[in-house]
Amino acid sequence: IAGPIKLALFGSPVAHSLSPQIHQAFADQFDISIDYRKLEAGPETFGRRLQTFVDGGGRGCNVTVPLKSEAWELASRASRAAQRARAANTLLLDAENDWFADNTDGTGLIRDLGRRLEKPLAGQRVLLLGAGGAARGVIGALLEQGPAELTVTNRTFHRAERLLHDFRALGPLSVCAADELRTLKDISLVINATSIGHRGQAPVLPAGIFVTDADCYDLNYGPAADPLARHCRQTGLNFHHGLGMLVEQAAESFRLWFGELPDTDAVISMLEPDTRPELVDDDE
Ligand code: ATR
């Protein structure tokens, strides 16, 4: 008799990941039996751990920090999104026992932005904070939506220039040095793809660069999103944390594995209180 389908999340750290709960909720929607584990691995151990997983019957996995580029490199085939990002967050073992890589982060972000924003991304002036793996994973999908301009800024300028070089063919991309941010104007959406919130800090955002009623989307959720959420409350930006994106990218992974796209609204509502039980409106 076939047992549950074996899936996993590889990365470090993975202990606090919500992915097992999310995928279990999706599987329940279709009466599919899964066994989704969190497997701690770094760049040196990933290849070996992945092989052990396959030897034990593993069929597909999610991959998170710091393994997304490794996951893309070890795959035999990759979706356009994964090729574009040169990074993967989803792997599927194909009929030939080779890995197919996908990157569902961009689609996940666009879906959740569609839910949170009052207006479409097309024509907006967007500021993207960060130039690491998280920024790389979403920039192609953002440009596909047809913003008037997408400006990338990063503490380390040459990494932003690298993104410009890699993605400028896809749309109106520009870079801005961190100390020149106040020269920007009419930004209606800022997206935080930095990891600075994990250190309890918020990125620096000059107030004058935004249109009235601008939105701020943080790819982080939970405590890592609190510093920016607080900053937005003080400065009047509409803040959105990244839990919805997490659930949406998971839904796309699930679709790759099972050919079914789960209902995400129900799962987001289920998890929302879990992620921030103690978050109260402390308008200090
Ligand atoms: P990820 O895969 O999460 O993107 P990463 O590749 O290490 O991880 O990138 C982290 C991002 O957060 C980078 O853009 C990083 O800026 P640098 O390229 O200058 O390192 C940004 N970041 C992290 N800590 C930061 C801080 N204290 N201030 C500003 N930016 C920070």
Side-chain angles (χ1 to χ4, degrees):
I1 323 146
I5 299 190
K6 293 187 178 172
L7 303 166
L9 169 68
F10 287 91
S12 186
V14 291
H16 297 289
S17 169
L18 295 171
S19 290
Q21 279 163 267
I22 294 170
H23 283 289
Q24 187 57 55
F26 291 164
D28 291 346
Q29 292 178 17
F30 301 99
D31 270 326
I32 295 171
S33 170
I34 64 164
D35 173 1
Y36 189 110
R37 308 264 170 104
K38 294 183 275 202
L39 301 176
E40 190 82 21
E44 311 75 34
T45 54
F46 180 42
R48 193 155 34 83
R49 297 261 153 88
L50 190 62
Q51 191 54 50
T52 307
F53 171 67
V54 172
D55 293 344
R59 295 288 318 283
C61 59
N62 286 127
V63 176
T64 187
V65 177
L67 304 174
K68 289 182 181 180
S69 51
E70 279 81 3
W72 173 72
E73 275 166 20
L74 63 76
S76 315
R77 294 180 303 123
S79 68
R80 202 167 69 90
Q83 286 179 39
R84 206 163 56 184
R86 304 171 67 84
N89 73 340
T90 311
L91 291 172
L92 170 68
L93 205 59
D94 68 15
E96 285 81 46
N97 264 358
D98 289 324
W99 290 112
F100 175 78
D102 197 359
N103 194 322
T104 66
D105 287 334
T107 305
L109 172 62
I110 300 304
R111 284 238 185 87
D112 197 44
L113 282 175
R115 175 188 282 119
R116 312 282 166 202
L117 304 184
E118 311 235 310
K119 44 201 182 305
L121 261 171
Q124 295 202 43
R125 299 176 64 83
V126 182
L127 174 62
L128 179 63
L129 311 175
R136 184 168 279 277
V138 299
I139 193 167
L142 285 169
L143 286 169
E144 238 168 31
Q145 298 300 306
E149 177 99 37
L150 177 60
T151 304
V152 179
T153 187
N154 194 48
R155 175 178 62 181
T156 311
F157 187 61
H158 74 83
R159 293 185 85 192
E161 287 183 303
R162 179 81 221 172
L163 279 193
L164 179 67
H165 172 269
D166 290 352
F167 290 92
R168 72 186 319 163
L170 299 179
L173 189 60
S174 57
V175 293
C176 181
D179 56 4
E180 306 260 292
L181 272 186
R182 58 192 68 253
T183 63
L184 298 175
K185 59 176 173 31
D186 296 337
I187 301 293
S188 51
L189 171 64
V190 55
I191 297 171
N192 179 32
T194 75
S195 54
I196 183 175
H198 288 281
R199 273 178 224 92
Q201 294 166 28
V204 176
L205 292 173
I209 67 175
F210 296 104
V211 301
T212 312
D213 229 23
D215 290 284
C216 175
Y217 192 98
D218 196 338
L219 266 44
N220 298 293
Y221 61 90
D226 284 354
L228 186 52
R230 203 166 294 127
H231 174 79
C232 288
R233 273 207 300 277
Q234 286 160 358
T235 56
L237 289 168
N238 303 313
F239 180 78
H240 315 275
H241 62 65
L243 178 68
M245 172 180 166
L246 178 79
V247 175
E248 295 293 349
Q249 63 77 31
E252 277 300 312
S253 297
F254 190 92
R255 169 147 78 175
L256 182 73
W257 297 327
F258 297 109
E260 307 266 15
L261 187 62
D263 170 21
T264 48
D265 286 329
V267 178
I268 293 170
S269 326
M270 174 185 90
L271 293 173
E272 199 108 53
D274 280 12
T275 50
R276 298 316 287 131
E278 73 277 28
L279 192 67
V280 284
D281 257 338
D282 53 341
D283 278 305
E284 66 284 71

